[in-house]
Amino acid sequence: MHQIPLHDKDVNPDGEKKKAHYHLVLNYKGNKSFEQIDEIARSLRAPAPQRISSLTGAVRYLTHMDNPEKYQYDSSNIQTFGGFDLENCLALSTGDKRQALRDMLAFISENNILHLKDFADHCMSEDAPAGWFEILTERNTLFIKEYIKSNWQKQRIDDSDNYYSEK
């Protein structure tokens, strides 16, 4: 059974632990007045509701997906109702995916990754930024594999140049 992630590991900028709390995102197909939503909030003894500018951003905030400096909560604990498409909200935007792919290629170069296995292992580790494993495995594997292969080939050429001297 799923439950809403309890934010019990949040800390203030001064390092003091915040009081445990929940975040709730309400999404309706039709218009709802502030009074209607506030009635729900009051029945839950929650603070006054706030209008959000981005549904995706609000849902991703439930786990701090876009805030790596904050504790990362498990998205499997998010409970949805009424056919809400959680996966779509948690997915990276096209721009985010492009930037993450750029970051991945920079990581490969900077860390002289020569084997796809080493990179895949990193993407599956706790050290990898959120979304890297998904980006690796969703239609980018061939491109990344070829990038790593060319990195390996370039390394071999650079190494062989070191063995030759001018006469």
Side-chain angles (χ1 to χ4, degrees):
M1 173 163 166
H2 292 297
Q3 59 188 37
I4 301 169
L6 175 63
H7 280 226
D8 59 352
K9 296 180 178 48
D10 292 355
V11 293
N12 291 316
D14 65 2
E16 181 183 332
K17 190 172 181 177
K18 290 184 180 181
K19 180 180 173 184
H21 60 280
Y22 293 98
H23 292 272
L24 177 67
V25 177
L26 301 175
N27 178 44
Y28 292 92
K29 291 191 189 301
N31 290 332
K32 296 290 179 199
S33 69
F34 175 82
E35 289 75 22
Q36 289 172 308
I37 303 301
D38 190 45
E39 184 178 331
I40 295 169
R42 279 185 277 128
S43 72
L44 297 170
R45 293 188 215 132
Q50 300 175 8
R51 179 177 293 277
I52 56 173
S53 59
S54 166
L55 176 61
T56 298
V59 171
R60 290 170 61 91
Y61 187 77
L62 296 174
T63 62
H64 294 154
M65 285 181 78
D66 301 318
N67 303 91
E69 74 283 0
K70 294 184 176 186
Y71 182 83
Q72 300 295 296
Y73 294 100
D74 188 348
S75 64
S76 69
N77 290 330
I78 297 174
Q79 190 172 9
T80 63
F81 302 94
F84 183 78
D85 187 359
L86 180 64
E87 287 302 314
N88 188 43
C89 271
L90 295 180
L92 293 173
S93 70
T94 300
D96 290 339
K97 286 180 184 176
R98 283 191 191 117
Q99 183 57 52
L101 188 55
R102 283 186 194 98
D103 294 343
M104 292 165 80
L105 298 178
F107 178 87
I108 289 166
S109 288
E110 291 164 7
N111 292 281
N112 199 26
I113 302 292
L114 302 177
H115 302 284
L116 181 60
K117 181 197 181 317
D118 294 336
F119 186 63
D121 288 348
H122 175 74
C123 289
M124 291 186 295
S125 76
E126 297 283 325
D127 297 330
W132 275 28
F133 183 73
E134 290 75 18
I135 291 169
L136 172 65
T137 57
E138 293 173 6
R139 290 177 274 179
N140 293 300
T141 305
L142 180 61
F143 173 73
I144 292 172
K145 177 182 168 192
E146 290 300 313
Y147 187 82
I148 291 170
K149 182 179 174 183
S150 68
N151 195 39
W152 176 77
Q153 290 169 335
K154 183 179 182 311
Q155 176 80 24
R156 288 185 62 207
I157 290 169
D158 290 349
D159 286 348
S160 67
D161 286 346
N162 292 334
Y163 294 110
Y164 297 106
S165 61
E166 278 188 41
K167 293 186 180 191

